[in-house]
Amino acid sequence: MAEIESTGSGAPREYRVEELAEAAGITPRTLRFYRERKLLPPPRKQGRIAWYGEEHLARLRMIAELLERGHTLGGITELIGAGESGRDVAELIGLRAAITEPWSDESPVHLSWADLADAFGDQLTEANTAESVAQGYITVRKDGITHISRRLMDATVSLVAEGVPLSAVLAASRKAQDYADAVAEVFTALIRDELLGALNHVEDLPPGEAVRLTEQIRRIRPLARTVADAQFTLAMDRRAHAEYDALLSRGDCRDEDRGERRDG
């Protein structure tokens, strides 16, 4: 590597394109691409040579970290643009994480075809497998399947063991997924309409607002799970009582019918 020059004794280090790319662990082509996407500030020009500083290296490392967290280049451009407008990029990253970080703590599970045959027998049909794939729960592999949730997979196996057909479990799962999506929409709309308000772009946030919203959203996330769980259990109480009353009513009707037939 060529010797790294500096602007003088004790001055910050400066890098040529190839040197900066090597220090950041990327290719010169990638570095130039970032420049074209305006992810990097302009370098210092000295004749035909472009000199980059420590702030460019720090920016490249931040971009790499954001990409590892799952951010897109478009989203990174937006965050950096807001930061260059006087916002703290770290604050905006925290806000985005509070909104988009996973809610579930489900762990995937892999089952071989032999395991599946033991669990489901002749109910392990192409139709049931296709329905599971369509619902987004399983990925089919040559040696078996991977289910995104060990808990859901264990519940499915247990329900089938209790005599509930796998097709019925999958039908109920599809309905439950639709209802769960509707509940999720209720909470996302609540946060969108009542907390984020008229915010259409991160650049609309005044200084310090990203931190406040981040803290507020992190407090609300567990509340949403509490409300959803409480609503579900209360709904199950109502439905269980209603179904039991209906069962008693059907029994009373059959008793009346038998009494009328005897009288007749």
Side-chain angles (χ1 to χ4, degrees), residues 135 137 169-183:
Q135 291 186 31
Y137 289 122
V169 174
L170 291 173
S173 171
R174 179 172 286 278
K175 290 181 180 179
Q177 190 179 69
D178 291 340
Y179 295 143
D181 285 340
V183 172

Side-chain angles (χ1 to χ4, degrees), residues 14-83:
E14 289 191 311
Y15 307 81
R16 296 174 186 266
V17 169
E18 293 77 9
E19 296 165 348
L20 179 65
E22 182 177 345
I26 60 175
T27 65
R29 181 178 181 182
T30 299
L31 192 152
R32 294 188 179 95
F33 175 72
Y34 290 164
R35 273 291 317 277
E36 293 172 0
R37 292 290 299 267
K38 301 187 184 303
L39 291 167
L40 290 176
R44 182 179 70 84
K45 289 294 187 69
Q46 185 178 14
R48 300 181 62 182
I49 301 177
W51 292 103
Y52 296 85
E54 291 294 338
E55 72 277 8
H56 294 95
L57 181 56
R59 174 68 61 81
L60 289 172
R61 288 170 174 166
M62 183 188 72
I63 291 171
E65 181 180 351
L66 291 174
L67 289 173
E68 288 181 1
R69 293 186 184 185
H71 294 271
T72 64
L73 283 178
I76 295 172
T77 301
E78 182 176 304
L79 289 171
I80 289 175

